[in-house]
Amino acid sequence: MRHPHPLPPAGQAEVRIVAATPEAARLIAEALRCRFAATEQRSYPAGGEGATRLYLTVDTTRAAEPPRPWLATSESSGDRRLQADEI
């Protein structure tokens, strides 16, 4: 019997999180990303009252990279554009 969804490559897992709030879904995704390398999460509404579905791909063959300091994560890509109120 064929599986209705294609399986991910060996060493990877497709994770789907359904939570009552986006914050709860993000906490679970963050916990997974602390342990495993993972793709950016994709989130979608999951019905009434703010419920969320969140998808990400986890690479079980690679450990997560150490967290980067907040300053490094906030650096721009070099494509600096002036805002309307800047000179």
Side-chain angles (χ1 to χ4, degrees):
M1 182 171 167
R2 286 186 55 105
H3 195 275
H5 300 286
L7 294 175
Q12 292 189 351
E14 295 288 330
V15 179
R16 282 142 178 62
I17 301 165
V18 180
T21 65
E23 294 79 24
R26 279 192 290 270
L27 282 172
I28 298 303
E30 187 61 34
L32 287 170
R33 279 197 297 277
C34 285
R35 176 70 171 91
F36 302 106
T39 62
E40 287 295 315
Q41 63 199 34
R42 301 160 319 270
S43 61
Y44 308 92
E49 302 303 316
T52 298
R53 290 180 299 143
L54 190 142
Y55 301 141
L56 69 152
T57 302
V58 176
D59 185 346
T60 62
T61 65
R62 292 187 359 211
E65 293 182 8
R68 294 173 38 194
W70 70 268
L71 185 57
T73 60
S74 66
E75 291 176 357
S76 72
S77 63
D79 186 21
R80 170 107 166 94
R81 295 187 188 121
L82 292 176
Q83 298 297 317
D85 61 344
E86 292 182 313
I87 305 175

PDB file of all heavy atoms in Angstrom, residues 2-3 5-6 9 12-13 16 18-20 24 28-29 36 38-39 41 44 48 53 59-60 62 65 70 72 78 82:
ATOM      1  N   ARG A   2       0.607   2.161  -0.902  1.00  0.00           N
ATOM      2  CA  ARG A   2       1.387   3.401  -0.995  1.00  0.00           C
ATOM      3  C   ARG A   2       0.939   4.389   0.061  1.00  0.00           C
ATOM      4  O   ARG A   2      -0.234   4.513   0.360  1.00  0.00           O
ATOM      5  CB  ARG A   2       1.211   4.023  -2.370  1.00  0.00           C
ATOM      6  CG  ARG A   2       1.951   3.281  -3.455  1.00  0.00           C
ATOM      7  CD  ARG A   2       1.853   4.013  -4.766  1.00  0.00           C
ATOM      8  NE  ARG A   2       2.303   5.385  -4.655  1.00  0.00           N
ATOM      9  CZ  ARG A   2       3.460   5.849  -5.114  1.00  0.00           C
ATOM     10  NH1 ARG A   2       4.279   5.034  -5.704  1.00  0.00           N
ATOM     11  NH2 ARG A   2       3.785   7.104  -4.991  1.00  0.00           N
ATOM     12  N   HIS A   3       1.903   5.094   0.593  1.00  0.00           N
ATOM     13  CA  HIS A   3       1.617   6.134   1.580  1.00  0.00           C
ATOM     14  C   HIS A   3       1.061   7.350   0.842  1.00  0.00           C
ATOM     15  O   HIS A   3       1.572   7.717  -0.215  1.00  0.00           O
ATOM     16  CB  HIS A   3       2.910   6.491   2.327  1.00  0.00           C
ATOM     17  CG  HIS A   3       2.678   7.252   3.570  1.00  0.00           C
ATOM     18  ND1 HIS A   3       2.539   8.604   3.583  1.00  0.00           N
ATOM     19  CD2 HIS A   3       2.537   6.842   4.843  1.00  0.00           C
ATOM     20  CE1 HIS A   3       2.342   9.009   4.818  1.00  0.00           C
ATOM     21  NE2 HIS A   3       2.333   7.964   5.603  1.00  0.00           N
ATOM     22  N   HIS A   5       1.300  10.495   1.415  1.00  0.00           N
ATOM     23  CA  HIS A   5       2.240  11.619   1.353  1.00  0.00           C
ATOM     24  C   HIS A   5       3.645  11.057   1.126  1.00  0.00           C
ATOM     25  O   HIS A   5       4.001  10.042   1.716  1.00  0.00           O
ATOM     26  CB  HIS A   5       2.228  12.408   2.666  1.00  0.00           C
ATOM     27  CG  HIS A   5       0.895  12.986   2.989  1.00  0.00           C
ATOM     28  ND1 HIS A   5       0.368  14.068   2.330  1.00  0.00           N
ATOM     29  CD2 HIS A   5      -0.035  12.612   3.900  1.00  0.00           C
ATOM     30  CE1 HIS A   5      -0.823  14.343   2.829  1.00  0.00           C
ATOM     31  NE2 HIS A   5      -1.095  13.479   3.781  1.00  0.00           N
ATOM     32  N   PRO A   6       4.432  11.706   0.299  1.00  0.00           N
ATOM     33  CA  PRO A   6       5.789  11.210   0.090  1.00  0.00           C
ATOM     34  C   PRO A   6       6.580  11.302   1.400  1.00  0.00           C
ATOM     35  O   PRO A   6       6.414  12.239   2.171  1.00  0.00           O
ATOM     36  CB  PRO A   6       6.365  12.141  -0.967  1.00  0.00           C
ATOM     37  CG  PRO A   6       5.475  13.321  -1.015  1.00  0.00           C
ATOM     38  CD  PRO A   6       4.146  12.911  -0.459  1.00  0.00           C
ATOM     39  N   PRO A   9      13.365  12.486   3.049  1.00  0.00           N
ATOM     40  CA  PRO A   9      14.614  11.737   2.885  1.00  0.00           C
ATOM     41  C   PRO A   9      15.055  11.108   4.212  1.00  0.00           C
ATOM     42  O   PRO A   9      14.669  11.575   5.290  1.00  0.00           O
ATOM     43  CB  PRO A   9      15.618  12.808   2.442  1.00  0.00           C
ATOM     44  CG  PRO A   9      14.798  13.941   1.933  1.00  0.00           C
ATOM     45  CD  PRO A   9      13.512  13.889   2.682  1.00  0.00           C
ATOM     46  N   GLN A  12      15.583  12.762   7.953  1.00  0.00           N
ATOM     47  CA  GLN A  12      14.754  13.947   8.148  1.00  0.00           C
ATOM     48  C   GLN A  12      13.365  13.527   8.599  1.00  0.00           C
ATOM     49  O   GLN A  12      12.905  12.420   8.309  1.00  0.00           O
ATOM     50  CB  GLN A  12      14.655  14.768   6.874  1.00  0.00           C
ATOM     51  CG  GLN A  12      15.970  15.399   6.492  1.00  0.00           C
ATOM     52  CD  GLN A  12      15.811  16.374   5.346  1.00  0.00           C
ATOM     53  OE1 GLN A  12      14.766  16.476   4.727  1.00  0.00           O
ATOM     54  NE2 GLN A  12      16.862  17.096   5.058  1.00  0.00           N
ATOM     55  N   ALA A  13      12.703  14.427   9.307  1.00  0.00           N
ATOM     56  CA  ALA A  13      11.334  14.183   9.762  1.00  0.00           C
ATOM     57  C   ALA A  13      10.511  15.437   9.527  1.00  0.00           C
ATOM     58  O   ALA A  13      10.966  16.550   9.800  1.00  0.00           O
ATOM     59  CB  ALA A  13      11.322  13.831  11.246  1.00  0.00           C
ATOM     60  N   ARG A  16       4.541  18.286  12.288  1.00  0.00           N
ATOM     61  CA  ARG A  16       3.357  19.124  12.248  1.00  0.00           C
ATOM     62  C   ARG A  16       2.880  19.323  13.670  1.00  0.00           C
ATOM     63  O   ARG A  16       2.657  18.361  14.401  1.00  0.00           O
ATOM     64  CB  ARG A  16       2.251  18.471  11.422  1.00  0.00           C
ATOM     65  CG  ARG A  16       2.478  18.604   9.929  1.00  0.00           C
ATOM     66  CD  ARG A  16       2.059  17.371   9.180  1.00  0.00           C
ATOM     67  NE  ARG A  16       2.177  17.382   7.750  1.00  0.00           N
ATOM     68  CZ  ARG A  16       3.276  17.516   7.047  1.00  0.00           C
ATOM     69  NH1 ARG A  16       4.389  17.745   7.647  1.00  0.00           N
ATOM     70  NH2 ARG A  16       3.283  17.450   5.753  1.00  0.00           N
ATOM     71  N   VAL A  18       0.031  21.224  16.085  1.00  0.00           N
ATOM     72  CA  VAL A  18      -1.260  21.903  16.147  1.00  0.00           C
ATOM     73  C   VAL A  18      -1.440  22.351  17.583  1.00  0.00           C
ATOM     74  O   VAL A  18      -1.332  21.542  18.509  1.00  0.00           O
ATOM     75  CB  VAL A  18      -2.419  20.973  15.718  1.00  0.00           C
ATOM     76  CG1 VAL A  18      -3.749  21.717  15.803  1.00  0.00           C
ATOM     77  CG2 VAL A  18      -2.186  20.450  14.312  1.00  0.00           C
ATOM     78  N   ALA A  19      -1.674  23.649  17.777  1.00  0.00           N
ATOM     79  CA  ALA A  19      -1.789  24.198  19.126  1.00  0.00           C
ATOM     80  C   ALA A  19      -2.905  25.230  19.176  1.00  0.00           C
ATOM     81  O   ALA A  19      -3.282  25.806  18.152  1.00  0.00           O
ATOM     82  CB  ALA A  19      -0.468  24.832  19.551  1.00  0.00           C
ATOM     83  N   ALA A  20      -3.405  25.476  20.366  1.00  0.00           N
ATOM     84  CA  ALA A  20      -4.490  26.439  20.551  1.00  0.00           C
ATOM     85  C   ALA A  20      -4.039  27.866  20.282  1.00  0.00           C
ATOM     86  O   ALA A  20      -4.844  28.715  19.905  1.00  0.00           O
ATOM     87  CB  ALA A  20      -5.061  26.323  21.964  1.00  0.00           C
ATOM     88  N   ALA A  24       2.172  28.783  21.734  1.00  0.00           N
ATOM     89  CA  ALA A  24       2.404  27.397  22.154  1.00  0.00           C
ATOM     90  C   ALA A  24       3.082  26.606  21.038  1.00  0.00           C
ATOM     91  O   ALA A  24       4.027  25.849  21.290  1.00  0.00           O
ATOM     92  CB  ALA A  24       1.082  26.740  22.550  1.00  0.00           C
ATOM     93  N   ILE A  28       7.125  24.824  21.071  1.00  0.00           N
ATOM     94  CA  ILE A  28       7.459  23.446  20.726  1.00  0.00           C
ATOM     95  C   ILE A  28       8.459  23.420  19.576  1.00  0.00           C
ATOM     96  O   ILE A  28       9.448  22.674  19.607  1.00  0.00           O
ATOM     97  CB  ILE A  28       6.195  22.643  20.376  1.00  0.00           C
ATOM     98  CG1 ILE A  28       5.253  22.582  21.574  1.00  0.00           C
ATOM     99  CG2 ILE A  28       6.557  21.246  19.878  1.00  0.00           C
ATOM    100  CD1 ILE A  28       5.848  21.991  22.824  1.00  0.00           C
ATOM    101  N   ALA A  29       8.241  24.241  18.556  1.00  0.00           N
ATOM    102  CA  ALA A  29       9.173  24.299  17.426  1.00  0.00           C
ATOM    103  C   ALA A  29      10.558  24.746  17.900  1.00  0.00           C
ATOM    104  O   ALA A  29      11.575  24.194  17.464  1.00  0.00           O
ATOM    105  CB  ALA A  29       8.640  25.246  16.352  1.00  0.00           C
ATOM    106  N   PHE A  36      17.835  19.799  17.145  1.00  0.00           N
ATOM    107  CA  PHE A  36      18.098  19.365  15.777  1.00  0.00           C
ATOM    108  C   PHE A  36      18.169  20.562  14.831  1.00  0.00           C
ATOM    109  O   PHE A  36      17.512  21.569  15.046  1.00  0.00           O
ATOM    110  CB  PHE A  36      16.976  18.452  15.257  1.00  0.00           C
ATOM    111  CG  PHE A  36      16.751  17.227  16.076  1.00  0.00           C
ATOM    112  CD1 PHE A  36      15.654  17.127  16.901  1.00  0.00           C
ATOM    113  CD2 PHE A  36      17.637  16.164  16.006  1.00  0.00           C
ATOM    114  CE1 PHE A  36      15.427  15.989  17.658  1.00  0.00           C
ATOM    115  CE2 PHE A  36      17.420  15.015  16.760  1.00  0.00           C
ATOM    116  CZ  PHE A  36      16.317  14.930  17.588  1.00  0.00           C
ATOM    117  N   ALA A  38      16.933  22.440  11.689  1.00  0.00           N
ATOM    118  CA  ALA A  38      15.559  22.446  11.163  1.00  0.00           C
ATOM    119  C   ALA A  38      15.386  23.583  10.173  1.00  0.00           C
ATOM    120  O   ALA A  38      16.130  24.560  10.186  1.00  0.00           O
ATOM    121  CB  ALA A  38      14.555  22.591  12.301  1.00  0.00           C
ATOM    122  N   THR A  39      14.380  23.432   9.340  1.00  0.00           N
ATOM    123  CA  THR A  39      14.030  24.492   8.394  1.00  0.00           C
ATOM    124  C   THR A  39      13.238  25.575   9.115  1.00  0.00           C
ATOM    125  O   THR A  39      12.830  25.404  10.260  1.00  0.00           O
ATOM    126  CB  THR A  39      13.153  23.936   7.256  1.00  0.00           C
ATOM    127  OG1 THR A  39      11.941  23.430   7.828  1.00  0.00           O
ATOM    128  CG2 THR A  39      13.861  22.859   6.470  1.00  0.00           C
ATOM    129  N   GLN A  41      10.077  27.507  10.140  1.00  0.00           N
ATOM    130  CA  GLN A  41       8.711  27.009  10.334  1.00  0.00           C
ATOM    131  C   GLN A  41       7.738  27.718   9.411  1.00  0.00           C
ATOM    132  O   GLN A  41       7.963  28.848   9.001  1.00  0.00           O
ATOM    133  CB  GLN A  41       8.298  27.204  11.784  1.00  0.00           C
ATOM    134  CG  GLN A  41       8.240  28.666  12.200  1.00  0.00           C
ATOM    135  CD  GLN A  41       8.282  28.847  13.698  1.00  0.00           C
ATOM    136  OE1 GLN A  41       8.921  28.091  14.393  1.00  0.00           O
ATOM    137  NE2 GLN A  41       7.598  29.855  14.181  1.00  0.00           N
ATOM    138  N   TYR A  44       0.056  28.178   9.779  1.00  0.00           N
ATOM    139  CA  TYR A  44      -1.233  28.387   9.124  1.00  0.00           C
ATOM    140  C   TYR A  44      -2.320  28.402  10.194  1.00  0.00           C
ATOM    141  O   TYR A  44      -2.176  27.766  11.238  1.00  0.00           O
ATOM    142  CB  TYR A  44      -1.532  27.238   8.145  1.00  0.00           C
ATOM    143  CG  TYR A  44      -0.418  26.980   7.164  1.00  0.00           C
ATOM    144  CD1 TYR A  44       0.573  26.046   7.438  1.00  0.00           C
ATOM    145  CD2 TYR A  44      -0.351  27.689   5.975  1.00  0.00           C
ATOM    146  CE1 TYR A  44       1.598  25.811   6.546  1.00  0.00           C
ATOM    147  CE2 TYR A  44       0.681  27.457   5.082  1.00  0.00           C
ATOM    148  CZ  TYR A  44       1.649  26.519   5.361  1.00  0.00           C
ATOM    149  OH  TYR A  44       2.672  26.303   4.482  1.00  0.00           O
ATOM    150  N   GLY A  48     -10.943  27.935  14.454  1.00  0.00           N
ATOM    151  CA  GLY A  48     -11.373  29.060  15.265  1.00  0.00           C
ATOM    152  C   GLY A  48     -10.483  29.437  16.440  1.00  0.00           C
ATOM    153  O   GLY A  48      -9.645  28.675  16.893  1.00  0.00           O
ATOM    154  N   ARG A  53      -1.535  25.733  13.058  1.00  0.00           N
ATOM    155  CA  ARG A  53      -0.802  24.566  12.574  1.00  0.00           C
ATOM    156  C   ARG A  53       0.571  25.070  12.183  1.00  0.00           C
ATOM    157  O   ARG A  53       0.690  26.082  11.503  1.00  0.00           O
ATOM    158  CB  ARG A  53      -1.464  23.957  11.344  1.00  0.00           C
ATOM    159  CG  ARG A  53      -2.766  23.282  11.620  1.00  0.00           C
ATOM    160  CD  ARG A  53      -3.373  22.702  10.343  1.00  0.00           C
ATOM    161  NE  ARG A  53      -3.616  23.786   9.394  1.00  0.00           N
ATOM    162  CZ  ARG A  53      -3.458  23.698   8.078  1.00  0.00           C
ATOM    163  NH1 ARG A  53      -3.048  22.590   7.531  1.00  0.00           N
ATOM    164  NH2 ARG A  53      -3.715  24.723   7.296  1.00  0.00           N
ATOM    165  N   ASP A  59      16.187  17.827  10.699  1.00  0.00           N
ATOM    166  CA  ASP A  59      17.276  16.977  10.207  1.00  0.00           C
ATOM    167  C   ASP A  59      17.883  16.260  11.410  1.00  0.00           C
ATOM    168  O   ASP A  59      18.604  16.868  12.203  1.00  0.00           O
ATOM    169  CB  ASP A  59      18.320  17.829   9.495  1.00  0.00           C
ATOM    170  CG  ASP A  59      19.420  17.000   8.859  1.00  0.00           C
ATOM    171  OD1 ASP A  59      19.545  15.795   9.177  1.00  0.00           O
ATOM    172  OD2 ASP A  59      20.165  17.563   8.045  1.00  0.00           O
ATOM    173  N   THR A  60      17.573  14.990  11.550  1.00  0.00           N
ATOM    174  CA  THR A  60      18.033  14.241  12.721  1.00  0.00           C
ATOM    175  C   THR A  60      19.496  13.824  12.622  1.00  0.00           C
ATOM    176  O   THR A  60      20.046  13.299  13.576  1.00  0.00           O
ATOM    177  CB  THR A  60      17.165  12.982  12.934  1.00  0.00           C
ATOM    178  OG1 THR A  60      17.302  12.130  11.812  1.00  0.00           O
ATOM    179  CG2 THR A  60      15.714  13.361  13.136  1.00  0.00           C
ATOM    180  N   ARG A  62      21.927  16.036  11.945  1.00  0.00           N
ATOM    181  CA  ARG A  62      22.748  17.204  12.313  1.00  0.00           C
ATOM    182  C   ARG A  62      22.212  17.826  13.591  1.00  0.00           C
ATOM    183  O   ARG A  62      21.009  18.038  13.732  1.00  0.00           O
ATOM    184  CB  ARG A  62      22.703  18.258  11.215  1.00  0.00           C
ATOM    185  CG  ARG A  62      23.369  17.848   9.952  1.00  0.00           C
ATOM    186  CD  ARG A  62      23.462  18.977   8.953  1.00  0.00           C
ATOM    187  NE  ARG A  62      22.870  20.226   9.428  1.00  0.00           N
ATOM    188  CZ  ARG A  62      22.292  21.126   8.667  1.00  0.00           C
ATOM    189  NH1 ARG A  62      22.205  20.939   7.391  1.00  0.00           N
ATOM    190  NH2 ARG A  62      21.787  22.216   9.172  1.00  0.00           N
ATOM    191  N   GLU A  65      22.785  24.228  15.479  1.00  0.00           N
ATOM    192  CA  GLU A  65      23.932  25.107  15.655  1.00  0.00           C
ATOM    193  C   GLU A  65      23.765  25.855  16.967  1.00  0.00           C
ATOM    194  O   GLU A  65      22.638  26.087  17.421  1.00  0.00           O
ATOM    195  CB  GLU A  65      24.015  26.095  14.493  1.00  0.00           C
ATOM    196  CG  GLU A  65      24.328  25.414  13.181  1.00  0.00           C
ATOM    197  CD  GLU A  65      24.447  26.405  12.039  1.00  0.00           C
ATOM    198  OE1 GLU A  65      24.440  27.628  12.294  1.00  0.00           O
ATOM    199  OE2 GLU A  65      24.552  25.953  10.901  1.00  0.00           O
ATOM    200  N   TRP A  70      22.075  37.921  20.043  1.00  0.00           N
ATOM    201  CA  TRP A  70      20.986  38.699  19.457  1.00  0.00           C
ATOM    202  C   TRP A  70      21.495  39.736  18.476  1.00  0.00           C
ATOM    203  O   TRP A  70      20.864  40.015  17.475  1.00  0.00           O
ATOM    204  CB  TRP A  70      20.115  39.347  20.537  1.00  0.00           C
ATOM    205  CG  TRP A  70      20.813  40.453  21.273  1.00  0.00           C
ATOM    206  CD1 TRP A  70      21.532  40.348  22.417  1.00  0.00           C
ATOM    207  CD2 TRP A  70      20.872  41.837  20.892  1.00  0.00           C
ATOM    208  NE1 TRP A  70      22.042  41.561  22.770  1.00  0.00           N
ATOM    209  CE2 TRP A  70      21.645  42.506  21.860  1.00  0.00           C
ATOM    210  CE3 TRP A  70      20.357  42.569  19.835  1.00  0.00           C
ATOM    211  CZ2 TRP A  70      21.911  43.866  21.797  1.00  0.00           C
ATOM    212  CZ3 TRP A  70      20.620  43.944  19.773  1.00  0.00           C
ATOM    213  CH2 TRP A  70      21.385  44.562  20.752  1.00  0.00           C
ATOM    214  N   ALA A  72      24.066  39.548  16.428  1.00  0.00           N
ATOM    215  CA  ALA A  72      24.389  38.901  15.151  1.00  0.00           C
ATOM    216  C   ALA A  72      23.132  38.573  14.370  1.00  0.00           C
ATOM    217  O   ALA A  72      23.102  38.669  13.152  1.00  0.00           O
ATOM    218  CB  ALA A  72      25.205  37.633  15.392  1.00  0.00           C
ATOM    219  N   GLY A  78      22.905  43.985   4.454  1.00  0.00           N
ATOM    220  CA  GLY A  78      23.653  44.923   3.645  1.00  0.00           C
ATOM    221  C   GLY A  78      22.769  45.671   2.668  1.00  0.00           C
ATOM    222  O   GLY A  78      23.193  46.609   2.018  1.00  0.00           O
ATOM    223  N   LEU A  82      16.640  53.359   3.227  1.00  0.00           N
ATOM    224  CA  LEU A  82      16.193  54.422   4.117  1.00  0.00           C
ATOM    225  C   LEU A  82      14.669  54.402   4.222  1.00  0.00           C
ATOM    226  O   LEU A  82      13.973  54.147   3.252  1.00  0.00           O
ATOM    227  CB  LEU A  82      16.636  55.789   3.594  1.00  0.00           C
ATOM    228  CG  LEU A  82      18.143  56.048   3.626  1.00  0.00           C
ATOM    229  CD1 LEU A  82      18.428  57.410   2.994  1.00  0.00           C
ATOM    230  CD2 LEU A  82      18.672  55.993   5.027  1.00  0.00           C
TER     231      LEU A  82
END
